[in-house]
Amino acid sequence: MLSKLSIDSEKKILICSAIAFFICTLSLTLHRHFSFYSSYDQGIFNQVFWNGTHGNFFQSTLSSQLSTNVVHSQEVPYVAYHRLGQHFTPALLIWLPIYYLFPHPATLTVLQATFVTAAGLVLYALARVYLEHAIAILITLSFYGANAVFGPTLANFHDISQIPLFIFSLLLAMEKRWWWLFGILIVCVLAVREDSGITLFGIGMYMILSRRFPRIGLAVCSLSFLYIVALTNLVMPMFSDDISKRFMLERFGQYADGDEASTLEIIKNMLTSPGLLLVELFTPVFDTFKYLLGQWLPLAFIPAVAPASWAIAGFPLLKLLLGKGQTVLVISIRYAMSVTPGLFYGAILWWAGQGFGNINKPLKECKPRKLRPKFRKFWIFCICLSIFFTITSNPSRTLSFIIPDAINPTVYVSAPKQWQHVPHIKKLLAQIPDDKSVSASTHIIPHLSSRREIIRIPGLEIRNDKQEVNQVDYIIVDLWQMEQYVPAFGEDRDWLNISNNLIDSVTDKQEYGVIDFSDGVILLKKNVKSNSKAFSEWKTYQAKIESILESE
């Protein structure tokens, strides 16, 4: 009877935690989207999916606008640009039938919450291979409460959200010796992104170092390395030059010799510059240490002493630590999610009795560790602390209606204020036909991205399928939202200034006319005269924002 009760309790806690995570993340992200706080990446992925349902696989004008051809060579964004030159993501095709049935940007939000929730359930099954239910439940709760999991799930849709589900499933298949499924999941992992093979390489290294499956591990390492090299040096350059002229330089430009570099050149320069490698690995010291603590915190710092965590998570972690940029060490951003599977699997094996002194010892001969009451309380405290840090960091401004974005000066947009603004945007959006080209401000883009031709302001030109370069038919800009954040955020001030100058330019030249204006949202149409009432309202509002810009 007691055994039956414990099993029932176990299932109840597991199901309740999964449901709570799913409802919480989905409701917050749907609120974020429908209150017009989802942004550019949500629009990119939605346009990729929308184009896919029309037979134009992986094409996107929004991705084209970020390409090296546009950014560096000043070319015009192209409707048939293949995003595979930036990120090789064929795994998205798995979910295309679902999007076909529900063709809406919010569908991607639902998919992301589903991926991560399902990953937690698979993690529980993985933990139960070796551990008693109490520890397995805590590991699952740690996953749902991890800043590196919770934070990225509250963001725009991103391809890395598939990684935990695929990796945990792959590890479970390995533990169960389901090698046919293991092989399928290897393909799925590699298909997520061009760099997902790095996590797979770590799994192969663990299989070798632990001597559990050395031959398969060697095959996994070889396949992962060859796949990454071949993909980034041979396949992706067939679509565009972005991998060598943009992404390698943005992340690893400190190891490059010129204006472009391949992955092989970057690896070679890393190996021949050990001094620079060490400096990049440990600096900035405080941010690196804080990042590691943030990754270890939800698991009560167990990954720090778990050899499997270092073996598997070490490689994607190394990629982040050796890179540059402001986002690589931000734990609430999507890149952090690629590190988590190795940390959690390593924690499982540590609790199963595998430590640094016996990593080669068969797991069935290891003595599982006991969960002491004091450590259990400490672990729960760590999970709560991780959730607290996630909430207070306000990832992707998803919690802006609860938490101020800035304290001094205070920037806070309440939920009622957000939703009062929504009808004004929708009123203007309803005037834009689905088959017309548009240039929009960042947070409006996701809602208009189910179309062939869309770019972000201040861009106005698109090259269409006939190779003709035309100006967009409509421009829509939400200046109100930018205005809210100007007092504390320079980026929003810059966007407000850019938007103001753009509107002045196109109306002065009579290229576009203001056809509607409502609550700081402006809609312009090509080759028409301005509506006198809308133009007058815009000029009144413009005087207000110009005084704000001058006072900053």
Side-chain angles (χ1 to χ4, degrees):
M1 184 67 183
L2 290 175
S3 176
K4 177 67 177 175
L5 180 63
S6 64
I7 293 174
D8 289 343
S9 300
E10 168 190 351
K11 291 180 178 178
K12 184 177 179 180
I13 294 172
L14 176 66
I15 292 171
C16 287
S17 62
I19 291 174
F21 178 83
F22 180 76
I23 292 175
C24 182
T25 54
L26 184 59
S27 58
L28 287 171
T29 47
L30 287 177
H31 172 272
R32 178 178 185 265
H33 176 71
F34 288 112
S35 62
F36 289 85
Y37 271 72
S38 58
S39 53
Y40 201 80
D41 282 358
Q42 187 84 6
I44 288 178
F45 281 104
N46 182 67
Q47 191 184 32
V48 167
F49 273 93
W50 184 87
N51 270 323
T53 60
H54 291 77
N56 302 308
F57 299 104
F58 300 104
Q59 294 182 9
S60 170
T61 51
L62 293 170
S63 285
S64 179
Q65 195 172 14
L66 298 178
S67 68
T68 185
N69 292 357
V70 175
V71 174
H72 299 128
S73 301
Q74 308 305 311
E75 294 183 13
V76 175
Y78 180 36
V79 294
Y81 172 84
H82 284 86
R83 188 176 181 271
L84 296 176
Q86 293 179 2
H87 294 296
F88 198 79
T89 57
L92 296 180
L93 292 174
I94 298 172
W95 320 111
L96 191 59
I98 298 175
Y99 184 88
Y100 183 82
L101 295 174
F102 307 98
H104 192 281
T107 299
L108 305 185
T109 299
V110 177
L111 282 174
Q112 181 156 287
T114 303
F115 294 159
V116 184
T117 302
L121 297 175
V122 177
L123 173 63
Y124 173 79
L126 181 61
R128 287 293 284 131
V129 173
Y130 295 109
L131 306 177
E132 62 182 40
H133 67 85
I135 300 177
I137 286 290
L138 281 172
I139 287 176
T140 306
L141 293 176
S142 298
F143 177 76
Y144 289 142
N147 199 338
V149 174
F150 197 3
T153 308
L154 296 180
N156 296 316
F157 178 87
H158 55 91
D159 38 29
I160 300 177
S161 62
Q162 303 165 92
I163 284 290
L165 176 59
F166 286 155
I167 292 293
F168 289 146
S169 298
L170 178 124
L171 291 169
L172 181 60
M174 180 188 76
E175 294 293 354
K176 297 292 187 179
R177 276 62 166 181
W178 298 334
W179 298 117
W180 62 271
L181 181 58
F182 185 83
I184 292 173
L185 288 165
I186 281 180
V187 175
C188 290
V189 171
L190 292 175
V192 170
R193 274 170 63 108
E194 67 283 354
D195 55 359
S196 56
I198 296 174
T199 301
L200 198 60
F201 186 89
I203 292 173
M205 285 300 297
Y206 166 74
M207 297 170 80
I208 295 170
L209 295 174
S210 65
R211 298 181 184 175
R212 296 181 64 192
F213 313 103
R215 292 182 180 178
I216 298 176
L218 181 60
V220 170
C221 286
S222 301
L223 175 63
S224 302
F225 180 76
L226 292 175
Y227 178 82
I228 293 171
V229 170
L231 187 64
T232 56
N233 289 274
L234 300 176
V235 179
M236 293 177 68
M238 294 170 60
F239 296 99
S240 72
D241 295 327
D242 286 285
I243 191 70
S244 60
K245 291 185 177 180
R246 184 186 160 210
F247 289 98
M248 284 294 103
L249 297 180
E250 286 179 359
R251 283 287 178 252
F252 304 103
Q254 66 272 43
Y255 309 104
D257 297 324
D259 295 333
E260 61 179 290
S262 67
T263 50
L264 283 175
E265 290 171 333
I266 294 295
I267 293 172
K268 176 187 173 183
N269 290 342
M270 282 181 174
L271 297 176
T272 55
S273 306
L276 177 60
L277 202 68
L278 287 173
V279 170
E280 291 291 335
L281 183 61
F282 294 106
T283 58
V285 176
F286 177 75
D287 289 343
T288 300
F289 185 63
K290 183 176 71 172
Y291 182 83
L292 291 173
L293 290 179
Q295 286 280 14
W296 297 336
L297 175 62
L299 286 164
F301 306 100
I302 293 301
V305 294
S309 290
W310 287 104
I312 299 174
F315 290 94
L317 182 61
L318 197 64
K319 171 181 171 281
L320 295 177
L321 296 180
L322 295 179
K324 66 176 183 177
Q326 297 179 343
T327 59
V328 291
L329 293 180
V330 178
I331 199 168
S332 60
I333 289 181
R334 60 188 180 276
Y335 306 114
M337 195 176 271
S338 63
V339 180
T340 55
L343 297 179
F344 279 83
Y345 181 64
I348 290 171
L349 298 185
W350 185 88
W351 280 105
Q354 189 180 81
F356 279 105
N358 60 349
I359 187 173
N360 298 326
K361 189 177 180 180
L363 280 162
K364 63 182 179 181
E365 297 178 12
C366 295
K367 184 179 180 181
R369 292 178 169 86
K370 297 293 183 181
L371 179 62
R372 307 296 180 188
K374 286 186 178 180
F375 191 84
R376 180 178 177 275
K377 292 179 181 179
F378 173 68
W379 194 349
I380 293 173
F381 170 76
C382 289
I383 295 172
C384 294
L385 195 61
S386 179
I387 295 173
F388 172 78
F389 286 144
T390 303
I391 293 172
T392 54
S393 68
N394 188 13
S396 303
R397 287 183 177 172
T398 303
L399 303 173
S400 289
F401 68 100
I402 301 174
I403 299 171
D405 286 273
I407 302 300
N408 187 22
T410 300
V411 174
Y412 172 64
V413 184
S414 65
K417 193 174 182 180
Q418 289 180 7
W419 284 100
Q420 286 166 10
H421 182 60
V422 168
H424 299 279
I425 304 176
K426 288 185 174 181
K427 171 173 164 268
L428 272 62
L429 290 179
Q431 301 176 49
I432 304 175
D434 293 338
D435 60 345
K436 297 298 183 181
S437 57
V438 186
S439 181
S441 54
T442 299
H443 296 90
I444 291 180
I445 280 175
H447 299 263
L448 288 170
S449 56
S450 296
R451 67 186 65 230
R452 189 75 170 144
E453 301 178 17
I454 180 172
I455 52 175
R456 178 166 58 182
I457 60 167
L460 295 179
E461 292 184 327
I462 293 177
R463 182 152 53 101
N464 63 22
D465 286 303
K466 297 179 181 179
Q467 302 294 326
E468 299 169 341
V469 175
N470 297 315
Q471 283 193 322
V472 295
D473 299 307
Y474 291 86
I475 302 172
I476 182 168
V477 185
D478 184 0
L479 300 115
W480 176 89
Q481 189 182 72
M482 302 174 197
E483 178 195 345
Q484 308 310 304
Y485 296 94
V486 164
F489 299 97
E491 183 179 7
D492 291 277
R493 181 187 185 281
D494 293 340
W495 275 113
L496 186 61
N497 192 39
I498 289 169
S499 303
N500 181 47
N501 292 336
L502 172 68
I503 296 166
D504 263 352
S505 175
V506 298
T507 52
D508 288 347
K509 296 176 183 176
Q510 297 185 348
E511 295 175 335
Y512 291 82
V514 180
I515 61 173
D516 205 350
F517 182 86
S518 183
D519 196 35
V521 188
I522 188 169
L523 177 63
L524 302 98
K525 186 177 180 180
K526 185 172 65 174
N527 297 331
V528 300
K529 291 184 178 180
S530 293
N531 176 288
S532 58
K533 180 175 180 294
F535 189 76
S536 175
E537 290 174 346
W538 152 244
K539 282 300 181 181
T540 301
Y541 183 80
Q542 184 184 39
K544 173 187 174 184
I545 62 173
E546 285 183 344
S547 66
I548 293 173
L549 291 171
E550 290 172 1
S551 65
E552 291 296 323

